[in-house]
Amino acid sequence: MMMKERDLLLEEPQTEEAEEPLHEVRVATTPVYYPPEFRWTNDQERCARCKRCIHQCGWKALRWEGRVVADDSKCVGCHRCEAFCPERCITILPNPQAFKEHGLWSVGHRRNLWKQAETGGVLLAGMGNDLPYQVLWDHLVLDACQVTNPSIDPAREPMELRTHLGRKPEAVEVRQNGDGFELVTALEPGIELSTPIVFAAMSYGSISLPAQKSIAMAACELGTLWNTGEGGLHDEVRPFANRAIVQCASGRFGVDVDYLNSGAGVEIKIGQGAKPGIGGHLPGEKVSQDVSETRMIPVGSDALSPAPQHDIYSIEDLRQLIFAIKEATNYEKPVSVKIAAVHNVAAIASGMVRAGADILYLDGFRGGTGAAPTTIRDHFGIPIEIAIAVVDQRLRDEGIRNQASIIAAGGIRSSADVAKAITLGADAVAIGTAALMALGCTLCQKCYTGRCSWGITTQDPQLTRRLDPNVGAQRLVNLVKAWSEELEEMLGALGVNSIESLRGSRERLRGIQLDRTTLEVLGVKPAGVGA
Amino acid sequence: MAKTMAAVQAAETREEMGIVIDAQGMHYRDLNRRLREAATEGEARFRLVNVNGQRYIGTGLKGDLHLEICGVPGNDLGAFLSGPTILVRNNAQDAIGNTMDSGSIIVKGDAGDVIGYGMRGGTIFINGNVGYRVGIHMKAYRQKSPVIVIGGAAGDFLGEYMAGGVIILLGLSERNGDPLVGNYCASGMHGGEIYLRGKVDPRHISPHAKIAQTKPTQIEHIRPHIAEFCTHFGYDADKVMGEPFFRLTPVSHRPYGAKYAT
C-alpha cells in the first residue's frame, strides 16, 4: 500500500524494499523461566483473613483462594500490603532460589538478559541509579570546634539558614538616608528560601496530583520551592505557584506566557541526572483528561520530550532562550538552567553563567526519574559531589561565582549530605527521591509502570486517592524541618551561625579513604592534615 | 546601554493608525520594554521602522495587538506569542513564533531556522523560503491547532516530532533547483498533517510518515489557510490550489509504544 502510494509520485523512490522492522518479530519460541525477585509469605496462623493485603496491592500479585495466595512474579517488593496488614503477618523475602554463583554474571544481569531475549525491548527503570558505586558523601567528614575556637549552642543563639537564590552584584553601594541606609545598587530578581533545601522537579504525569500537591503545599508552608517539572501547572496546584519554579523543557508542554509568569522563577531543563542526553516519553496511557489539560495536548497521545531542545544547539542558543524568557517575564523572574552532571560540567556551567543563567541546577548521576532506560540511568553522568566541587571552583577561578547560585541534586539522603553539599560549594540542594520517600515510597523502582501502590507515581484514581495531600504535606514539612534543625546543630558544632559562612568552605571538610586525585578534584584535604 | 524611557519615546511619532517607533540604533531591551509599556497603557497598533536585527520583538505579548515591522527583525520574533498579529515587510530570522500559543505572524520575505518550534496555536505565513527544523514538535490542543504556510521551499527536518497542527509547503518559488523539502521531513512525526504541493522526492520523507495524494475533502480542509496566504501575499488561490498536493500523516501515534521491555 505504501509503495503504491509512493509510486504516484513524480519521482520514483530509489530506496530498496524496506525490511520488516525488528520489533514486529518479537515472539519468543522458547520462553525462558526466570525466577521472581521476591518471595511473598504470610503466617497462616496469624492471618486474620481480612483481605486488606489483596486490596492494597496495586500489582494484582495477591488473590483469594480461601486464603491469600501470592503470584511472586508480580510482587515488586513495595511493602504496601505489609504496611496495611493489621496482624503484621506478611514477610517479603528476597527469593532464595539459588543460581550457580558467578563473579561476572550477577543474577541481575542474567534476569535482564532473559527479559530482553524474550521481548526484544529496551529495559526501563525508575528512581535513581542503584548500582553500588562508591558514595562520596560517606567518605567526607566535617570539622568541629574544640578548645581553640568555641562552638555555638543553636538552642540559645540564632542560626541563619536563609538562602538567596539568583544573580548577586559584584558589590553593593549604600547611602545614608536620615537615620538609616538605603541600597543604591539595583538588585537582580532573586528568591529567598527559609532553608537551603528545595524540592526537585517532578511533573504531574510522572507523579500523581496528590503527590505534587503535597509537595507544593509543603514548599509554601516551609518558605522554600517546588518545581513543576515538564508537566504544566494543574489548577489544583496553581494556588501554590508563588513558590514554584516552572519548567520549560524540550516538549514545551503546558508552556505559555501566563505559565512563565505564574511561578517564582523559570527553569530551562536541558538534562536530568538519571538520563543525561536523552528525552522523555510519557506514554499515551498516562495522558488522562487532567494530564492532557496541564500539558495542553490531546488525551491519550504520547507526550514526547525530544532529547535536545531544538532551539538550543549551543551556549549562544541557550542565551537566546534565557533572554526570550526574561523578555516574556519582564526581567522579573530569575532563570534557572538544569543540567545533568557530566564529564565537562565545569566548562558547561561557566558557559551557562555567561549565557545569563541566574541559577545552575546540577543533577548528579544518582538523581531519580519516573522512567529512564536502565542503561542510561546506571552508566551515565558523574557523582554530584564531584560536580559541585568542580563547578564551584571553576566559577570562582573565573570570578563569576556571584553571578549564579548552584542548586545540587541527585542522591541527597540526609541533613549531613546537605551540609556536605553546601560545604563543597552548593547554595542549596534539591530533594526528589527523599521527598517521595516521605510520602511512603519504599524504592521499589517501578515508577515507570504507573501502578504505584502508594499512589505516588500513578494516575489510576483507585491508587492516587490513597494519598491525602494534607497528610503528605505535613510529612514533608516534618522532614525538612527536622533536617533544618540538624543543619543548625551542625553549624553550631562548626562554630558558625549562618549557612552562608559554611558555603564553599572546603577547609571544614576532610576526606577519608579517598585517593589523591579524587581529593584534588574535590578540593578537600585528607583526614589528619591540619589547616 | 539602556536608554531612558524618555529617549526611547523621543524616537516615536503618532499616526492615525497608532504609534510609529524608529528602532534605529535601539537596543532590543529598550524597544521591547517600550512595546510592553505602551500595550499596558492601551495602545494596540504599532509600526516599527528601521528595525535591524533586534531580537524578541513581540515576545510574550498578549491580546489583540497589531505590529508592523519594517526592516529585518532578529531571532525569537513573537516567542510565546499569545494573540497579537505581527506583519514583517522584509525577511525575518530564526525561531519565529517559538512556543507560540495564539496570534498570527506574516513574513513577506524569507525566514530562517526553527520557525514555530513547539507551537500550540496561531498561524505563521512565510511568503518565501525557510531554513532547517521548521515546525518541530508542533502540537494541537482543544480548539487550538497551529498552522504554518510556507510559500517557497524548506530545509531539513521540516515537521520533526510533529504532534499536531498543519504545515503547508507550497513551493511557489523555485530555489536554484533545490528540492521542495530537505532531508528527514516528518521524522518522529506522531500527529498532525503536512501538505506538500508539487514534486516530492520520497527519499526526503521519513519512514515515520505515510505519503498519500490529497483527497478533495482534505483539500477543502486546508483551503482557508491557503486562501489567507494568497490574500497576504497577492497570489491567485485557485491557481495555487490547482496543483496536486501530497499529504503526510504519521504512521503511528505511538512511535515508542513497542520500544520497551515490560
Side-chain angles (χ1 to χ4, degrees):
Chain A
M1 184 64 186
M2 284 278 294
M3 285 311 294
K4 196 176 173 199
E5 282 164 359
R6 284 173 186 246
D7 286 345
L8 294 172
L9 301 178
L10 298 174
E11 291 183 24
E12 281 296 313
Q14 300 298 307
T15 47
E16 290 169 22
E17 285 278 328
E19 284 178 31
E20 282 290 300
L22 260 178
H23 60 78
E24 286 180 18
V25 286
R26 284 178 195 167
V27 183
T29 48
T30 320
V32 178
Y33 170 76
Y34 46 98
E37 267 185 282
F38 299 101
R39 167 83 43 99
W40 189 93
T41 62
N42 76 335
D43 183 335
Q44 286 296 330
E45 280 187 21
R46 281 158 66 191
C47 177
R49 270 72 176 156
C50 69
K51 302 181 197 169
R52 253 184 236 183
C53 52
I54 297 174
H55 297 304
Q56 289 299 324
C57 182
W59 312 92
K60 300 187 172 24
L62 305 175
R63 63 183 189 277
W64 183 252
E65 287 180 9
R67 63 189 179 90
V68 184
V69 178
D71 176 352
D72 283 344
S73 71
K74 291 181 178 165
C75 178
V76 302
C78 80
H79 293 259
R80 178 80 187 183
C81 54
E82 186 202 336
F84 281 78
C85 174
E87 302 301 326
R88 291 279 178 266
C89 67
I90 296 171
T91 309
I92 298 163
L93 300 168
N95 188 351
Q97 197 70 39
F99 283 86
K100 174 75 176 164
E101 275 193 28
H102 198 292
L104 179 67
W105 289 93
S106 70
V107 175
H109 280 115
R110 283 179 245 187
R111 190 189 303 280
N112 285 341
L113 187 147
W114 289 325
K115 188 188 263 188
Q116 291 191 290
E118 193 166 318
T119 63
V122 169
L123 295 170
L124 274 183
M127 302 315 287
N129 190 333
D130 66 355
L131 296 186
Y133 292 97
Q134 181 185 36
V135 180
L136 291 173
W137 299 132
D138 299 338
H139 294 267
L140 292 168
V141 286
L142 285 154
D143 191 20
C145 299
Q146 296 294 300
V147 185
T148 57
N149 47 354
S151 49
I152 303 173
D153 182 353
R156 292 163 200 275
E157 293 186 46
M159 283 288 171
E160 189 61 89
L161 295 183
R162 246 185 314 181
T163 298
H164 290 90
L165 299 180
R167 185 166 291 251
K168 318 262 186 350
E170 304 285 331
V172 287
E173 192 189 333
V174 288
R175 71 168 162 239
Q176 199 154 12
N177 183 7
D179 292 338
F181 291 90
E182 68 174 336
L183 190 62
V184 179
T185 315
L187 296 181
E188 297 280 337
I191 301 168
E192 184 179 303
L193 307 176
S194 64
T195 185
I197 303 165
V198 304
F199 295 113
M202 287 175 279
S203 70
Y204 171 46
S206 76
I207 60 172
S208 66
L209 192 54
Q212 196 182 55
K213 194 173 174 185
S214 302
I215 295 167
M217 289 167 72
C220 287
E221 190 175 333
L222 288 161
T224 182
L225 291 170
W226 65 286
N227 189 314
T228 62
E230 189 182 22
L233 203 50
H234 191 278
D235 282 343
E236 273 217 29
V237 290
R238 211 169 265 275
F240 311 102
N242 64 323
R243 278 279 161 197
I245 296 286
V246 295
Q247 211 177 61
C248 171
S250 64
R252 303 287 155 88
F253 295 118
V255 177
D256 62 19
V257 68
D258 292 336
Y259 168 83
L260 294 174
N261 279 285
S262 62
V266 183
E267 182 165 276
I268 298 171
K269 181 201 176 182
I270 302 292
Q272 185 175 339
K275 40 181 168 178
I278 69 164
H281 319 135
L282 186 71
E285 292 91 350
K286 288 191 183 177
V287 183
S288 61
Q289 183 65 43
D290 261 20
V291 171
S292 118
E293 281 173 26
T294 46
R295 295 202 176 212
M296 303 185 189
I297 50 168
V299 175
S301 66
D302 273 358
L304 306 184
S305 298
Q309 309 219 14
H310 281 286
D311 50 357
I312 305 177
Y313 285 9
S314 66
I315 292 289
E316 292 77 6
D317 288 350
L318 174 64
R319 182 176 179 82
Q320 187 173 312
L321 185 61
I322 289 173
F323 279 86
I325 288 170
K326 284 179 183 274
E327 284 282 335
T329 55
N330 201 24
Y331 296 86
E332 287 164 8
K333 313 279 181 188
V335 176
S336 165
V337 179
K338 175 178 176 177
I339 58 163
V342 290
H343 301 182
N344 210 16
V345 66
I348 297 164
S350 167
M352 286 155 66
V353 175
R354 292 168 196 284
D358 304 304
I359 299 167
L360 311 183
Y361 185 126
L362 308 176
D363 201 11
F365 83 149
R366 287 185 181 276
T369 177
T374 312
T375 44
I376 305 281
R377 187 196 72 167
D378 292 353
H379 303 283
F380 280 69
I382 64 170
I384 190 60
E385 300 91 322
I386 299 277
I388 298 168
V390 298
V391 169
D392 178 66
Q393 193 58 50
R394 178 71 170 252
L395 301 186
R396 282 167 190 262
D397 291 347
E398 296 184 358
I400 54 173
R401 180 64 181 85
N402 63 299
Q403 293 183 23
S405 302
I406 297 173
I407 299 179
I412 303 286
R413 304 159 299 174
S414 66
S415 61
D417 292 351
V418 179
K420 291 171 189 177
I422 290 171
T423 314
L424 278 174
D427 288 271
V429 301
I431 55 168
T433 302
L436 298 189
M437 289 177 71
L439 299 177
C441 168
T442 59
L443 281 184
C444 78
Q445 307 182 36
K446 297 290 180 198
C447 325
Y448 60 92
T449 63
R451 299 300 312 156
C452 178
S453 293
W454 293 86
I456 301 169
T457 58
T458 173
Q459 301 305 325
D460 179 343
Q462 297 288 332
L463 299 172
T464 60
R465 70 178 186 197
R466 294 177 174 185
L467 195 58
D468 178 342
N470 292 306
V471 176
Q474 189 55 54
R475 292 178 61 85
L476 289 161
V477 168
N478 290 347
L479 177 75
V480 174
K481 280 198 166 156
W483 283 17
S484 300
E485 202 171 322
E486 287 175 345
L487 280 177
E488 293 182 355
E489 292 282 347
M490 287 186 265
L491 291 181
L494 283 148
V496 295
N497 59 9
S498 158
I499 196 80
E500 201 64 48
S501 306
L502 191 60
R503 195 156 285 136
S505 179
R506 290 186 223 173
E507 180 54 31
R508 308 305 301 272
L509 282 174
R510 288 293 183 270
I512 50 171
Q513 299 163 316
L514 291 176
D515 62 81
R516 181 175 291 183
T517 311
T518 306
L519 286 167
E520 277 170 15
V521 168
L522 288 169
V524 169
K525 292 173 184 163
V529 174
Chain B
M1 173 200 81
K3 288 186 181 177
T4 64
M5 231 351 96
V8 173
Q9 280 172 311
E12 279 176 26
T13 50
R14 180 166 286 280
E15 282 181 358
E16 205 177 323
M17 55 65 64
I19 294 181
V20 180
I21 301 175
D22 184 351
Q24 181 84 52
M26 201 182 278
H27 193 274
Y28 73 76
R29 261 182 96 152
D30 296 323
L31 176 61
N32 294 326
R33 186 168 47 139
R34 178 61 197 141
L35 281 176
R36 284 195 294 272
E37 278 180 8
T40 310
E41 288 159 9
E43 296 289 347
R45 302 186 79 87
F46 303 87
R47 191 145 69 89
L48 314 182
V49 298
N50 294 319
V51 171
N52 191 3
Q54 282 94 344
R55 289 182 172 187
Y56 315 115
I57 295 175
T59 286
L61 281 188
K62 288 174 72 174
D64 187 19
L65 310 174
H66 292 258
L67 277 76
E68 183 184 338
I69 296 172
C70 304
V72 178
N75 295 352
D76 269 326
L77 173 78
F80 309 109
L81 195 71
S82 183
T85 299
I86 301 177
L87 169 65
V88 180
R89 294 219 168 268
N90 300 67
N91 294 334
Q93 298 189 345
D94 298 340
I96 297 171
N98 191 347
T99 322
M100 177 172 168
D101 191 66
S102 57
S104 189
I105 300 176
I106 303 134
V107 177
K108 294 262 183 186
D110 292 335
D113 300 337
V114 204
I115 313 298
Y117 176 49
M119 184 182 175
R120 180 185 309 118
T123 49
I124 296 178
F125 298 96
I126 312 285
N127 189 19
N129 300 312
V130 295
Y132 296 141
R133 316 201 302 271
V134 170
I136 292 189
H137 213 308
M138 283 168 70
K139 49 182 87 72
Y141 172 61
R142 289 192 178 161
Q143 296 83 12
K144 286 180 181 165
S145 183
V147 177
I148 298 180
V149 189
I150 301 151
D156 295 350
F157 297 105
L158 179 74
E160 190 183 24
Y161 281 111
M162 190 168 180
V166 178
I167 297 175
I168 303 167
L169 186 61
L170 296 174
L172 294 169
S173 55
E174 287 286 328
R175 188 168 62 171
N176 306 326
D178 282 358
L180 176 65
V181 65
N183 289 316
Y184 317 111
C185 175
S187 58
M189 183 181 195
H190 57 289
E193 309 157 89
I194 300 176
Y195 291 87
L196 306 170
R197 178 179 170 276
K199 280 188 186 181
V200 179
D201 183 342
R203 287 174 301 183
H204 293 161
I205 311 299
S206 156
H208 300 145
K210 287 182 283 194
I211 311 173
Q213 271 190 321
T214 308
K215 295 179 185 128
T217 50
Q218 291 159 344
I219 285 282
E220 287 314 307
H221 170 59
I222 58 167
R223 182 181 289 275
H225 305 311
I226 292 177
E228 189 178 346
F229 174 91
C230 292
T231 309
H232 286 313
F233 304 123
Y235 291 96
D236 178 344
D238 287 331
K239 217 167 158 183
V240 172
M241 298 284 290
E243 289 276 325
F245 282 78
F246 292 98
R247 179 171 181 257
L248 310 187
T249 49
V251 169
S252 166
H253 292 275
R254 302 286 317 277
Y256 295 91
K259 187 178 168 72
Y260 300 109
T262 49

